[in-house]
Amino acid sequence: VEQDFTVVGRYDDGSARPVAGPTFAIAPVSLGVIDVASGRFTANGVIGGEATVTATLPGPAGELTATATLTVERTLLGEGVPADVADRFATPVTDDARRAQTVYPLDGAVMPQNVYPADVQWLRGASGDIARVRLEKPHLAITAYVLNDGSSHWLVEEGAWRSFAQTDPDASGAVTVDRWEAASGEAITGDPVSLTFARAALTGSVYYWDIQRGRIVRIDDGTATRDEFMPSPPVAMRGERCVGCHAVSNSGRYMAGRLGGGENIGAIFDLTTDLSGDPPPTVYPLRTAAPTSVRWWFSSWSPDDTRMVVSAEEGTSRQMRIYDPFLGTQVGVSGTLPSDVTHPAWSPDGAQIAYVSSPGSWGGVNTAGDISVIDVTGPDSFGGTRVLHRGADLAGDTPGGSSDNYPSWSPDSSLIAFAHGTGSRSEDQQSALYLMNRDGTDVRRLTAASGGPTGIDNFQPRFSPFTAGGYYWLSFLSRRDYGNASVGTGGSGFQQIWITAVRTGAGAGEDPSSVPYWLPGQNTTSRNISAYWAPRPC
């Protein structure tokens, strides 16, 4: 995109005519470049926004300057779109019964600037229709015309998405889908949805469990590529190849997981090594025949990666234990570790371990439970325990129930997120997301993240280890629809991983969460759970 600028001088006699010899400059330079002598501006094709063009020339009383602002626009034509497409949208009508209903992105979502381009999806589209998708900010207008093949979606072209994300970074943007209906030959206006891009570029990788495949899958930041980095997990006792209930270390180098459905044989994998072999190497030798090597259900790493806290079966009790992850052996400790526990989570500052106490079950199906902590008083030394929040205290909230589960620490260890509802099982229970201070005070429902006041299908919150753009970033599971049924999960009820931006520095009683976005790259035909966000392994 190019634009020529000229300078017009106004004289004492009231005349106006072009002025020769000005010098041109532009600020900021992020939008493109301008030729100093000719005044020809060339956009870089990525970032829009407001820029000031300044022309300077000598005058009788010193330098004279003039300024102008510019806005970048862009039009994209999809394959098969007719040449007269713009004319078809010249006089749109308003008809709520026929308008394209945008179902992704969600209205009000907050995303980082480096998130992979959104797949804009809508309802009430038909094969042969033409969609006009508009991405707009105060100084950017991108228009795409898309011929609908019946799937009613447009994966935003990457360059257009980057422009949308990075232009006017402090302003919200709007996504609008207008529909040209093939059956009637009429254009129908759509309603815009609002998006905000935080001044943040999230790093690291998300590791989650694809239940259908029985594999842990990795998606790196800014991509939509599913990396099945361990295609052949070790064979467990009954011949199963499955790694579940995993936990990634704070450095991002190690992953703990349990093998086999219900066998719970613990394994540690070094994520810096090639795990594509059969079997993949483990940090300590596995014994999958009786007597097996160590077993556990849920686990969490110490901040320095030298210890693991696990919940494990001991007779009829669910016991907290400490393991050496490199030897695969239980560690003797000073102090008394609690029993009847599940879902342990070691704080990033190393001072406490949060867990679910009195769950009444192993943790995957518990329908009761409180959030408690135990103090870490030194290396392999533990102090007192105390209950921070009782699940029964939220029995009158939405969705009610008495099950607190899956505590997760914010990166600065100041906050604990947890899920609460009728149970921890994400397939068939009800749950919403909550936040509290590390001492159990100021318990708040994360209503925006949970899908509004009546949202009851949200589970397993886990903080990213990074704070960026004035937000913590929290992943969680939800059965809510992602988009439509053609390319999303509309109507399936499949758990998918979503991410909400949680505002730092929120006041007491405030809901600091945001409307979430879907983690790009997931398998939409599977149930995806147990997401861990970690630095890239090195």
Side-chain angles (χ1 to χ4, degrees):
V1 179
E2 294 183 335
Q3 176 67 48
D4 291 323
F5 286 87
T6 59
V7 176
V8 175
R10 294 189 179 275
Y11 296 86
D12 290 342
D13 62 4
S15 63
R17 54 185 180 272
V19 176
T23 300
F24 292 90
I26 188 171
V29 297
S30 56
L31 277 66
V33 297
I34 194 165
D35 186 273
V36 175
S38 71
R40 171 164 289 186
F41 168 77
T42 304
N44 61 21
V46 177
I47 300 175
E50 184 177 19
T52 300
V53 176
T54 302
T56 305
L57 70 160
E63 286 189 334
L64 299 176
T65 61
T67 60
T69 59
L70 59 88
T71 299
V72 177
E73 297 186 5
R74 188 174 181 182
T75 300
L76 304 172
L77 297 178
E79 184 176 352
V81 171
D84 67 344
V85 64
D87 295 336
R88 301 191 187 196
F89 287 88
T91 55
V93 301
T94 300
D95 186 341
D96 287 345
R98 291 187 295 154
R99 67 175 173 85
Q101 179 185 351
T102 303
V103 289
Y104 192 80
L106 302 183
D107 189 31
V110 176
M111 303 181 180
Q113 288 185 324
N114 69 328
V115 70
Y116 191 79
D119 194 350
V120 179
Q121 300 173 50
W122 57 92
L123 305 178
R124 301 196 191 107
S127 182
D129 288 356
I130 300 173
R132 180 175 68 180
V133 184
R134 291 178 287 160
L135 311 179
E136 297 173 296
K137 279 188 170 181
H139 299 94
L140 178 74
I142 296 172
T143 302
Y145 295 97
V146 181
L147 183 62
N148 193 348
D149 62 2
S151 57
S152 299
H153 82 111
W154 178 53
L155 177 60
V156 182
E157 188 267 334
E158 187 166 6
W161 183 255
R162 296 301 171 214
S163 297
F164 189 43
Q166 296 176 32
T167 296
D168 297 330
D170 295 322
S172 62
V175 178
T176 307
V177 180
D178 302 320
R179 176 191 182 193
W180 181 82
E181 186 181 42
S184 65
E186 286 188 306
I188 305 116
T189 59
D191 287 339
V193 299
S194 175
L195 287 183
T196 298
F197 292 93
R199 286 180 176 262
L202 297 188
T203 57
S205 304
V206 176
Y207 296 79
Y208 70 89
W209 190 16
D210 181 330
I211 293 180
Q212 181 171 304
R213 289 282 297 132
R215 302 291 185 268
I216 305 298
V217 176
R218 177 173 61 212
I219 297 178
D220 293 330
D221 59 86
T223 73
T225 302
R226 299 173 67 254
D227 180 10
E228 199 171 286
F229 59 93
M230 187 167 46
S232 302
V235 178
M237 294 175 70
R238 293 192 293 266
E240 294 180 88
R241 290 184 180 270
C242 176
V243 179
C245 297
H246 62 291
V248 182
S249 69
N250 294 273
S251 68
R253 178 167 181 175
Y254 301 102
M255 183 181 75
R258 62 185 184 92
L259 308 181
E263 295 175 12
N264 309 320
I265 301 169
I268 306 292
F269 302 93
D270 186 338
L271 297 173
T272 66
T273 65
D274 182 2
L275 299 175
S276 62
D278 186 5
T282 55
V283 170
Y284 58 80
L286 289 178
R287 295 192 308 275
T288 57
T292 67
S293 47
V294 298
R295 299 190 186 198
W296 65 71
W297 282 322
F298 296 93
S299 61
S300 179
W301 291 80
S302 66
D304 61 3
D305 293 3
T306 64
R307 290 290 187 265
M308 281 176 50
V309 57
V310 307
S311 61
E313 184 178 14
E314 191 170 286
T316 59
S317 174
R318 289 154 290 276
Q319 180 69 39
M320 181 181 288
R321 296 176 181 166
I322 304 298
Y323 280 147
D324 183 323
F326 304 107
L327 299 178
T329 56
Q330 186 173 350
V331 175
V333 302
S334 173
T336 302
L337 297 176
S339 60
D340 198 19
V341 303
T342 192
H343 303 166
W346 210 314
S347 65
D349 65 7
Q352 291 178 320
I353 296 172
Y355 58 95
V356 173
S357 56
S358 304
S361 185
W362 68 279
V365 296
N366 56 294
T367 55
D370 309 321
I371 304 297
S372 296
V373 293
I374 183 171
D375 294 328
V376 182
T377 55
D380 301 327
S381 180
F382 298 87
T385 64
R386 56 195 172 278
V387 176
L388 297 184
H389 185 266
R390 298 189 183 280
D393 290 347
L394 289 172
D397 212 342
T398 302
S402 58
S403 174
D404 286 352
N405 49 77
Y406 291 103
S408 178
W409 295 88
S410 62
D412 57 8
S413 300
S414 67
L415 301 168
I416 297 174
F418 63 98
H420 170 86
T422 61
S424 62
R425 197 75 172 180
S426 58
E427 286 93 336
D428 53 12
Q429 296 293 326
Q430 297 179 345
S431 180
L433 306 180
Y434 289 81
L435 189 70
M436 64 182 172
N437 295 335
R438 72 178 298 162
D439 62 1
T441 60
D442 196 21
V443 178
R444 292 162 278 173
R445 191 180 193 273
L446 298 181
T447 297
S450 295
T454 60
I456 55 173
D457 55 6
N458 309 279
F459 301 81
Q460 295 186 10
R462 288 201 178 96
F463 276 106
S464 161
F466 311 107
T467 303
Y471 295 98
Y472 306 108
W473 298 86
L474 185 73
S475 68
F476 64 97
L477 314 183
S478 181
R479 295 194 301 264
R480 73 187 68 188
D481 285 347
Y482 159 60
N484 59 34
S486 298
V487 295
T489 66
S492 71
F494 284 178
Q495 301 100 311
Q496 297 280 288
I497 298 160
W498 294 75
I499 297 169
T500 179
V502 178
R503 184 164 44 86
T504 61
E510 293 183 28
D511 174 10
S513 69
S514 306
V515 175
Y517 68 93
W518 179 80
L519 175 68
Q522 295 175 77
N523 180 3
T524 57
T525 63
S526 180
R527 302 178 189 272
N528 304 323
I529 68 171
S530 193
Y532 270 87
W533 211 325
R536 293 200 185 189
C538 62

